[in-house]
Amino acid sequence: AQTVTQSQPEMSVQEAETVTLSCTYDTSESDYYLFWYKQPPSRQMILVIRQEAYKQQNATENRFSVNFQKAAKSFSLKISDSQLGDAAMYFCAYRRGMEYGNKLVFGAGTILRVKS
Amino acid sequence: GAVVSQHPSWVICKSGTSVKIECRSLDFQATTMFWYRQFPKQSLMLMATSNEGSKATYEQGVEKDKFLINHASLTLSTLTVTSAHPEDSSFYICSAGLAGHRGSGELFFGEGSRLTVL
């Protein structure tokens, strides 16, 4: 079974600074998808960024980018120019290839605190 | 993006009663919906996969007679917590993906429902 590990229970960053959240996963498959979701205090899950395993180029969404290391099974999230609104719990998630449906496996989460 | 709505957002009930939570995909059809349970400051734990027109698939350790799931239409799945007890108090979240667009991989999440059993 696939597993997702987030080794940082909590992280802090100063406003306008950069922070990196770690995620590793375990799988024997070659076709899969990786995600970072944000869960603010409202508890609404929000998709931050998505990476297809077959793509070598790291995904980028404005201030959010990933460092996808397929051989190392690592998928870290970098948040640049951190803002107070970035404070939330962040979940790394794994999804198997297209033919297996949309079931997600989540990591334990990392609480991100942003200091002003 | 697509919208998934849950109702109620918060429910308080007495021990022994049953509670129904609805999950609706508002602007798309979902042949599959997922139900998660989340304790404070913890991750989302998948409870079951709700399949339109057929029985739900439950994860190991989840009591199917305790957590009844019905997916009668392409836009509605319901989770009924039967004979609720205080240990069932939790945050329940549903999610759905676009039917026919499984390759995009994205799941859309409801706002969640907080259940408190007294």
Side-chain angles (χ1 to χ4, degrees):
Chain A
Q2 295 79 24
T3 59
V4 178
T5 302
Q6 293 179 249
S7 58
Q8 306 154 317
E10 291 191 24
M11 292 284 284
S12 291
V13 63
Q14 197 71 33
E15 198 174 4
E17 297 294 311
T18 296
V19 65
T20 298
L21 307 184
S22 301
C23 172
T24 58
Y25 57 95
D26 186 25
T27 184
S28 58
E29 299 172 342
S30 59
D31 181 27
Y32 53 88
Y33 301 80
L34 296 166
F35 306 84
W36 278 98
Y37 280 91
K38 168 185 177 180
Q39 188 180 42
S42 69
R43 303 192 80 168
Q44 173 72 61
M45 295 288 283
I46 301 166
L47 176 65
V48 175
I49 201 163
R50 167 179 55 230
Q51 175 82 43
E52 291 88 346
Y54 63 85
K55 290 186 177 179
Q56 293 185 341
Q57 186 173 8
N58 289 326
T60 300
E61 288 287 343
N62 300 314
R63 297 182 295 108
F64 300 88
S65 61
V66 298
N67 183 2
F68 174 47
Q69 301 290 326
K70 191 171 183 178
K73 297 179 183 175
S74 171
F75 183 62
S76 61
L77 174 69
K78 185 172 81 172
I79 305 174
S80 304
D81 186 25
S82 297
Q83 300 175 359
L84 295 177
D86 294 334
M89 192 154 186
Y90 286 80
F91 293 99
C92 178
Y94 171 101
R95 204 210 87 177
R96 300 175 73 185
M98 290 174 53
E99 65 272 28
Y100 296 106
N102 287 331
K103 188 160 76 171
L104 290 175
V105 176
F106 287 93
T110 298
I111 296 173
L112 177 65
R113 305 187 193 283
V114 181
K115 302 175 183 177
S116 59
Chain B
V3 179
V4 175
S5 178
Q6 271 183 254
H7 178 80
S9 57
W10 195 1
V11 57
I12 302 173
C13 69
K14 293 182 179 180
S15 186
T17 61
S18 294
V19 174
K20 181 186 286 188
I21 301 170
E22 293 186 345
C23 178
R24 293 181 184 273
S25 54
L26 297 185
D27 51 0
F28 68 101
Q29 293 182 332
T31 54
T32 304
M33 292 184 175
F34 301 92
W35 286 97
Y36 293 87
R37 183 174 182 175
Q38 185 182 31
F39 291 106
K41 295 188 178 181
Q42 293 190 22
S43 187
L44 281 71
M45 299 302 297
L46 180 65
M47 298 175 65
T49 301
S50 174
N51 305 298
E52 188 267 336
S54 64
K55 292 183 179 180
T57 305
Y58 290 82
E59 295 299 304
Q60 191 172 10
V62 177
E63 299 176 61
K64 60 182 180 181
D65 294 331
K66 174 75 170 175
F67 299 99
L68 298 179
I69 291 173
N70 183 276
H71 194 154
S73 77
L74 285 172
T75 59
L76 174 64
S77 175
T78 60
L79 168 68
T80 300
V81 183
T82 62
S83 186
H85 290 281
E87 57 265 30
D88 298 324
S89 298
S90 189
F91 193 68
Y92 294 88
I93 306 175
C94 74
S95 69
L98 296 172
H101 289 74
R102 288 158 60 192
S104 70
E106 183 175 357
L107 278 183
F108 302 96
F109 287 82
E111 312 94 320
S113 300
R114 183 185 304 278
L115 171 62
T116 300
V117 185
L118 303 176

